[in-house]
Amino acid sequence: MLASLKEVLVKAREKNQAVAAFNVPNLEMVRAAIQAAEEMNMPVILQHAEGHGSLITLEEIGPIMIQYAERSTVPVVVHLDHGKSFEVIMQAMKLGFTSVMIDASDLPFDENVARTQEVVKAAHSLGVSVEAELGHVFTSSLGGGEGRAPDDDQIGDTDIYTDPKQAKEFVDATNVDCLAVAFGTVHGIYLKEPRLDLQRVKKIYEEVKIPLVMHGGSGVHAEDYQAAIKNGITKINYYTYANQAGAAALRKYLNEETQDYFLEDCIAVTTEALKEDYVRAIEIFSGQ
């Protein structure tokens, strides 16, 4: 069933859980995410990042995401991730997305506030939830497709992390439904052990009192996920490591099999591996 992000996150917060948010730039990922959520009987968030337009367009994947959400037996949010363009954000809402992200985190604070206010006004009038971002979540040199790559000396630099007092000012000014915060995670593959400022998450939540979002959620230890959730993280974006799991399963299949290959068999192997990885993520995020 198609669900509201705000309602799903509020219920998860009451249970001290986080909802998995999977970027799904192809049909296999959409199907695997829905299968995993239904197997676990847990809500899920299907996401399309604006930056993934080179993989598949919003016009192509959006209706597929919505159709699978509507047919699902569990609540499914359909969300635009890292929306930069007001036009693309509006397009997602017109397609039927129940949630959008406005990412103006690379702009000065006042401009971030102004752009977020513009999106919130339009989205809330349509009953659509809004996520925004404050602080900088970088992308590792091995990719992830979002954000910008950090210099070595910026890793662990708390100056780029979200400031709790500024977060309160931002939320009060914009009325967003959830806030993506920077506390040491990185988009893509971790080249070093992440140094997470989990106490900062707690301080931010105590100030803003709305669900917080972890970007760069792949590759974090289970105990750190749990600590982050306890401290206020309620939505966790997860993409890179599931992507790798699907590719690894396909590579193993192609190396082991000696018979002729059929594309549908390759797709089935990949989809199953994705589903299994998604199930593991949902288990950790929900504390099951």
Side-chain angles (χ1 to χ4, degrees):
M1 65 199 80
L2 195 58
S4 158
L5 177 68
K6 183 176 180 178
E7 291 179 4
V8 165
L9 294 188
V10 167
K11 290 179 181 178
R13 187 77 233 134
E14 291 172 352
K15 298 177 181 178
N16 206 30
Q17 296 175 334
V19 183
F22 301 131
N23 286 82
V24 288
N26 55 60
L27 177 60
E28 290 68 44
M29 286 184 156
V30 172
R31 295 177 68 185
I34 294 292
Q35 290 169 12
E38 290 184 336
E39 181 175 312
M40 295 298 297
N41 194 31
M42 292 294 296
V44 71
I45 301 164
L46 301 183
Q47 301 191 151
H48 176 72
E50 183 176 334
H52 283 164
S54 60
L55 301 178
I56 191 167
T57 66
L58 178 60
E59 295 91 338
E60 291 175 280
I61 197 65
I64 294 171
M65 295 165 66
I66 292 168
Q67 182 186 47
Y68 271 81
E70 289 175 338
R71 293 165 54 188
S72 175
T73 59
V74 296
V76 181
V77 177
V78 180
H79 176 76
L80 179 72
D81 187 31
H82 285 284
K84 293 285 188 179
S85 162
F86 186 77
E87 289 71 25
V88 172
I89 291 170
M90 290 302 298
Q91 181 185 12
M93 291 192 282
K94 289 178 181 177
L95 284 171
F97 279 45
T98 56
S99 176
V100 294
M101 178 189 183
I102 167 63
D103 181 4
S105 60
D106 56 338
L107 299 176
F109 180 80
D110 289 344
E111 291 183 45
N112 191 354
V113 167
R115 292 206 182 184
T116 302
Q117 287 173 330
E118 181 183 24
V119 171
V120 168
K121 181 178 180 181
H124 283 183
S125 71
L126 298 172
V128 175
S129 305
V130 179
E131 173 187 340
E133 182 171 330
L134 188 65
H136 299 290
V137 180
F138 285 113
T139 298
S140 81
S141 61
L142 292 184
E146 303 163 352
R148 52 197 174 102
D151 298 326
D152 287 341
D153 61 356
Q154 287 180 305
I155 300 294
D157 179 1
T158 58
D159 288 342
I160 63 174
Y161 290 179
T162 306
D163 176 79
K165 295 295 184 184
Q166 193 176 57
K168 176 174 172 52
E169 182 182 351
F170 183 88
V171 170
D172 288 347
T174 61
N175 195 32
V176 292
D177 299 294
C178 59
L179 183 67
V181 295
F183 60 100
T185 57
V186 177
H187 289 124
I189 299 168
Y190 283 97
L191 304 180
K192 300 178 181 179
E193 187 74 15
R195 289 176 285 175
L196 305 183
D197 188 347
L198 295 168
Q199 284 304 305
R200 182 180 296 266
V201 175
K202 183 178 181 180
K203 291 175 183 177
I204 294 169
Y205 183 71
E206 288 172 348
E207 291 287 346
V208 303
K209 299 298 184 184
I210 64 170
L212 303 180
V213 182
M214 175 193 288
H215 283 234
S218 296
V220 175
H221 292 304
E223 56 268 27
D224 287 335
Y225 281 128
Q226 290 299 319
I229 293 166
K230 180 180 178 181
N231 288 354
I233 293 294
T234 317
K235 172 178 180 279
I236 300 177
N237 289 16
Y238 185 89
Y239 173 67
T240 301
Y241 284 62
N243 204 345
Q244 283 192 308
L250 178 59
R251 181 172 60 248
K252 180 180 179 182
Y253 173 72
L254 293 175
N255 285 337
E256 288 183 352
E257 294 294 325
T258 57
Q259 62 189 23
D260 290 336
Y261 300 112
F262 292 92
L263 179 58
E264 61 261 32
D265 295 328
C266 295
I267 290 173
V269 166
T270 303
T271 304
E272 181 61 25
L274 284 166
K275 190 202 82 172
E276 290 176 0
D277 196 73
Y278 289 153
V279 165
R280 284 192 290 271
I282 293 171
E283 285 177 336
I284 294 171
F285 302 165
S286 62
Q288 296 187 31

